């Protein structure tokens, strides 16, 4: 689930100071609403191509934009191995609450699609629309845990931490038992998801990490009747080619046009 289509960004971030002094890095672009909020994937950060493309899109249209690093990611404080879905959700909500005003469109990539949905459930009065890019709700339970296999599961249960080879980096992917266990408190796909705003899901059909059928299942679970899935036949998990980013922009144009501006 690691999205490493990342390029470094020279701009120094701002920091939101959270509980116990946690420093949550963010970058905010001023503008009108609806604002755009980018929520990144597992072990990725706010300097990736999709995050920066979203910010550039917002600038050209005069929209506010926020991107952030969860604790243990990018330029934020904390140890990645201490992270859980609940912790990273609280990071996102804290920065959204402190640094945005008015209606927001949340854009979640991979794990960020799960964070996006959970944030929308907790802030229904603030969220005007959702865009999921290979969204991965419940991935800890439905994708990560079964993919490990019985032997790695036993090691993880015993050692509480596991490092597995990554297809995207020379560094291994870190998986903790706390991530798996705490993730079970936030599962969504076994019941109706009471989100009523417009939702757009973009998914590559050659995604090796999150099958495109995952988006179909999510669409079926959403309460909203305004849900559309766009499948990219040759798209991978990252969906960060110029054509993919053009698709994201066109999708946002449609959603932004439907939201009252301020």
């Amino acid at each position: 689930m690691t999205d490493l289509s990342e390029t470094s960004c020279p701009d120094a971030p701002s920091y939101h100071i959270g509980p116990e002094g946690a420093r949550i890095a963010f970058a905010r672009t001023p503008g009108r609403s609806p604002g755009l909020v980018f929520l990144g994937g597992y072990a990725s950060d706010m300097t990736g191509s999709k995050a920066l493309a979203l910010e550039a899109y917002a600038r050209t249209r005069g929209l506010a934009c926020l991107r952030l690093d969860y604790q243990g990611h990018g330029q934020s404080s904390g140890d990645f191995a201490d992270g859980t879905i609940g912790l990273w959700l609280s990071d996102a909500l804290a920065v959204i609450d402190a640094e945005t005003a008015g209606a927001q469109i949340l854009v979640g990539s991979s794990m960020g699609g799960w964070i996006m949905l959970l944030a929308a459930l907790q802030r229904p009065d603030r969220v005007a629309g959702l865009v999921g890019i290979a969204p991965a709700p419940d991935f800890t339970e439905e994708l990560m845990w079964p993919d490990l296999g019985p032997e790695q599961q036993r090691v993880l249960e015993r050692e509480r931490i596991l490092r597995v080879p990554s297809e995207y980096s020379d560094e291994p992917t870190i998986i903790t038992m706390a991530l798996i266990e705490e993730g079970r408190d936030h599962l969504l796909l076994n019941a109706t998801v009471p989100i009523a705003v417009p939702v757009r899901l973009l998914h590559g059909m050659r995604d090796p990490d999150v099958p495109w059928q995952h988006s179909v299942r999510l669409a079926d679970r959403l309460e909203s009747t305004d849900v559309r899935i766009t499948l990219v036949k040759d798209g991978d998990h990252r969906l960060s080619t110029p054509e993919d980013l053009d698709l994201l922009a066109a999708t946002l144009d449609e959603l932004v046009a439907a939201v009252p501006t301020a």
Side-chain angles (χ1 to χ4, degrees), residues 17 19 31 34 52 78 81 85 100 108 120-121 142 150 152 166 169-170 176 199 208 220 233-234 239 250 253 256:
I17 307 303
L52 297 181
I85 299 301
T100 69
L121 289 169
E142 302 224 350
Q152 287 183 313
S166 170
S169 170
D170 293 334
T176 68
V199 180
D220 183 60
K233 187 171 183 179
D234 62 348
L239 286 184
D253 279 341
V256 169

Side-chain angles (χ1 to χ4, degrees), residues 85 89 93 113-123 186 188:
I85 299 301
L89 170 63
L93 289 173
W114 191 1
I115 302 293
M116 168 190 80
L117 294 163
L118 294 169
L121 289 169
Q122 293 205 24
R123 299 292 186 273
H186 305 284
L188 296 174

Side-chain angles (χ1 to χ4, degrees), residues 55-98:
E55 182 177 84
Y57 169 92
R59 289 184 185 278
T60 62
R61 289 157 175 81
L63 300 172
C65 184
L66 175 72
R67 47 192 174 88
L68 62 102
D69 288 335
Y70 318 116
Q71 290 182 61
H73 290 70
Q75 300 175 79
S76 289
S77 67
D79 187 336
F80 179 81
D82 293 332
T84 61
I85 299 301
L87 178 68
W88 296 330
L89 170 63
S90 69
D91 292 341
L93 289 173
V95 181
I96 290 170
D97 289 345

Side-chain angles (χ1 to χ4, degrees), residues 1 135-148 209-211 214:
M1 232 74 61
D138 301 11
F139 80 90
T140 52
E141 191 73 7
E142 302 224 350
L143 301 173
M144 181 177 278
W145 179 249
D147 190 55
L148 291 175
D209 299 308
V210 183
H214 207 70

Side-chain angles (χ1 to χ4, degrees), residues 30-219:
R32 60 179 174 83
S33 66
L36 308 177
V37 178
F38 184 80
L39 299 168
Y42 188 70
S44 67
D45 62 49
M46 65 173 175
T47 66
S49 55
K50 292 187 292 291
L52 297 181
L54 187 71
E55 182 177 84
Y57 169 92
R59 289 184 185 278
T60 62
R61 289 157 175 81
L63 300 172
C65 184
L66 175 72
R67 47 192 174 88
L68 62 102
D69 288 335
Y70 318 116
Q71 290 182 61
H73 290 70
Q75 300 175 79
S76 289
S77 67
D79 187 336
F80 179 81
D82 293 332
T84 61
I85 299 301
L87 178 68
W88 296 330
L89 170 63
S90 69
D91 292 341
L93 289 173
V95 181
I96 290 170
D97 289 345
E99 300 297 335
T100 69
Q104 303 295 310
I105 294 174
L106 308 186
V107 180
S109 175
S110 192
M111 181 188 78
W114 191 1
I115 302 293
M116 168 190 80
L117 294 163
L118 294 169
L121 289 169
Q122 293 205 24
R123 299 292 186 273
D125 57 327
R126 297 292 316 284
V127 175
L130 302 175
V131 179
I133 305 169
D138 301 11
F139 80 90
T140 52
E141 191 73 7
E142 302 224 350
L143 301 173
M144 181 177 278
W145 179 249
D147 190 55
L148 291 175
E151 179 57 32
Q152 287 183 313
Q153 288 174 0
R154 286 191 289 269
V155 172
L156 182 55
E157 289 174 330
R158 182 177 66 250
E159 305 292 336
R160 306 292 296 177
I161 190 168
L162 186 68
R163 292 173 173 84
V164 299
S166 170
E167 296 182 10
Y168 300 98
S169 170
D170 293 334
E171 296 297 320
T173 296
I174 295 173
I175 303 171
T176 68
M177 198 63 211
L179 176 73
I180 301 293
E181 291 173 340
E182 198 273 348
R184 292 168 182 157
D185 296 334
H186 305 284
L187 301 179
L188 296 174
L189 295 180
N190 291 324
T192 298
V193 182
I195 290 173
V197 299
V199 180
R200 302 293 179 263
L201 306 175
L202 313 179
H203 216 127
M205 296 183 74
R206 295 184 180 178
D207 187 335
D209 299 308
V210 183
W212 59 266
Q213 291 89 347
H214 207 70
S215 277
V216 175
R217 185 176 173 198
L218 171 58

